[in-house]
Amino acid sequence: PAPAPPPSSTGSGTQGNNPAGTAQAPGGPKSIQVYSKFDFVPGDKPLFYDDFSNDFVGDFPAKWNTNGSGEVVTINQSPQKWLKLLQGYNIHFIPNLPPLPKEYTIEFDLLTSGIDKKTSSTAGLTIMLSDDPKFKDGDHYASIFLPIGQYAAFNIWLRNYIARVGREINSGIKADIREAVLNQPHISIAVNDRRFRLWVNEQKYVDVPQLIPAGGHITSLKFNLNNLKDGKEDLFISNLKVAEGGVDLRRKLISEGEVSTNGILFDSGSANIQPQSMGIILQISQVLQQERGMNMLIVGHTDADGSDEANMQLSKQRAEAVKNALVNVYGVDAGRLSAEGKGESEPVGDNSTQDGKAQNRRVVFKKI
């Protein structure tokens, strides 16, 4: 059959989260059990978050920059907003980040439409980390190319460049991410000084100890899309989160007796843990397995959206959900764990901003 039309900014079409031209993952959404060995740990100090909820459909988002064009759209009847990236040579989409530290993580969701076995083998998304804040590659940069074609398993390409030295790394990693590309993949990146790691959903594909160039300070994150068929094939991005940290929480919990993290994500207004958050819960379980005499209090916190009473109940339910994951997925004795909710009563960020709300939605683990 002929390919269905791509999503549009009008929100028309059938209900559901996947637009026409994409496929549902076999067996439905991936579960917590699938992610039980996922070892990505997001940063614990939010630097940037954007789900485009404050942008008008049809506009370019206020917290981004570009030398091309793009627009915020909705898909079918879903309230979720996405940035539709337009393709082109040397066209960059740049979130307005503060200067990046040495240790940070990047997360975002991708959505595709119209991608099939006729999609070009050179079609894909380039993610670049650069010392240039605008639209040049820069004197120092590292980039990852994620392929989105379907008729074969194409390489994930790694490249970097160092001023006066040239390119150190230019290599392709064999990876079959075709199914993930069609099913709204979650991309996770961890940068620890020069080390670069990348996960597509629960699978780690890249772990390079010195991909980030030495001698230059990386300041910006850039996206570039190329070689799609105009009017047929589209790619969208949403839920971009950049956070400082991403280091081992286990040592901090053992040495200080408490860790706070906003990296455990839940469905909106729900206690359903998003499975890509399991890396943190895995680390907590490892501490409890090692420290047999340790008992733990799990405390849930929310932002200020909604009523005080509803947020108090939701925060308790979320803490209980984390406790249940520790018990049911990792085999921790339930008698060693307690859970409580604080609702919106102890904010650490400004609830009038998206970034502040992201800081307030957190889970605290305390040794008791």
Side-chain angles (χ1 to χ4, degrees), residues 99-326:
L100 291 168
K102 284 192 173 183
E103 312 267 350
Y104 57 95
T105 60
I106 302 165
E107 297 178 79
F108 55 91
D109 295 321
L110 290 179
L111 188 65
T112 60
S113 175
I115 306 301
D116 56 29
K117 291 186 177 181
K118 294 182 180 180
T119 299
S120 171
S121 61
T122 60
L125 178 71
T126 297
I127 306 159
M128 176 178 285
L129 298 168
S130 167
D131 64 357
D132 178 80
K134 296 295 185 179
F135 307 113
K136 296 180 180 179
D137 289 347
D139 294 326
H140 299 80
Y141 68 83
S143 68
I144 303 293
F145 174 81
L146 294 179
I148 62 176
Q150 293 292 305
Y151 76 81
F154 303 115
N155 288 343
I156 295 175
W157 278 96
L158 318 176
R159 294 182 175 90
N160 71 0
Y161 183 85
I162 301 173
R164 296 181 296 279
V165 174
R167 182 166 287 165
E168 282 189 330
I169 295 175
N170 183 17
S171 56
I173 296 174
K174 290 185 177 180
D176 191 349
I177 61 172
R178 287 176 289 178
E179 181 180 318
V181 161
L182 294 179
N183 291 286
Q184 198 171 313
H186 184 78
I187 309 300
S188 308
I189 294 169
V191 176
N192 302 102
D193 198 7
R194 299 191 64 195
R195 184 182 182 186
F196 181 99
R197 290 172 291 163
L198 178 142
W199 293 256
V200 179
N201 292 330
E202 79 285 357
Q203 181 68 43
K204 182 164 63 178
Y205 287 97
V206 178
D207 192 344
V208 180
Q210 296 186 6
L211 182 66
I212 304 301
H217 181 54
I218 299 300
T219 59
S220 61
L221 167 66
K222 308 178 185 185
F223 297 92
N224 168 261
L225 179 66
N226 241 320
N227 297 319
L228 296 181
K229 294 183 180 69
D230 190 37
K232 174 185 178 292
E233 300 167 342
D234 289 300
L235 185 140
F236 311 83
I237 189 171
S238 192
N239 298 316
L240 175 64
K241 176 185 176 183
V242 183
E244 185 174 358
V247 297
D248 197 327
L249 298 178
R250 294 169 292 190
R251 292 182 178 87
K252 183 175 182 180
L253 181 56
I254 291 172
S255 64
E256 301 180 15
E258 179 176 331
V259 292
S260 175
T261 176
N262 55 25
I264 300 177
L265 305 180
F266 301 85
D267 292 345
S268 179
S270 163
N272 293 325
I273 299 173
Q274 294 184 9
Q276 62 266 25
S277 304
M278 291 301 288
I280 293 173
I281 301 176
L282 170 62
Q283 285 200 357
I284 300 300
S285 74
Q286 291 169 338
V287 172
L288 290 166
Q289 290 166 5
Q290 175 179 309
E291 305 293 318
R292 294 292 182 179
M294 180 186 291
N295 295 330
M296 186 169 294
L297 172 64
I298 304 164
V299 185
H301 298 264
T302 69
D303 60 31
D305 290 350
S307 70
D308 292 353
E309 181 180 359
N311 285 332
M312 186 65 71
Q313 181 179 8
L314 179 61
S315 64
K316 176 64 183 303
Q317 291 171 341
R318 288 178 169 179
E320 290 285 355
V322 173
K323 174 183 174 180
N324 291 337
L326 285 165

Side-chain angles (χ1 to χ4, degrees), residues 42-55:
D44 54 5
K45 181 181 178 182
L47 299 174
F48 180 92
Y49 178 75
D50 203 4
D51 61 1
F52 312 116
S53 59
N54 290 337
D55 294 298

Side-chain angles (χ1 to χ4, degrees), residues 305-362:
D305 290 350
S307 70
D308 292 353
E309 181 180 359
N311 285 332
M312 186 65 71
Q313 181 179 8
L314 179 61
S315 64
K316 176 64 183 303
Q317 291 171 341
R318 288 178 169 179
E320 290 285 355
V322 173
K323 174 183 174 180
N324 291 337
L326 285 165
V327 172
N328 298 326
V329 178
Y330 298 111
V332 176
D333 181 356
R336 300 173 62 190
L337 304 173
S338 302
E340 69 177 35
K342 294 288 188 178
E344 61 186 78
S345 64
E346 298 180 2
V348 294
D350 184 353
N351 273 307
S352 67
T353 69
Q354 286 183 318
D355 290 343
K357 289 179 182 179
Q359 293 178 49
N360 292 331
R361 295 189 296 266
R362 67 196 192 277

Side-chain angles (χ1 to χ4, degrees), residues 60-61 64-71 83-88 91-95 125 135 221-225 237:
F60 190 84
W64 292 62
N65 193 13
T66 186
N67 57 341
S69 186
E71 63 175 335
L83 172 58
K84 178 181 178 181
L85 303 183
L86 297 189
Q87 63 175 328
I91 298 297
H92 295 294
F93 296 85
I94 307 174
L125 178 71
F135 307 113
L221 167 66
K222 308 178 185 185
F223 297 92
N224 168 261
L225 179 66
I237 189 171

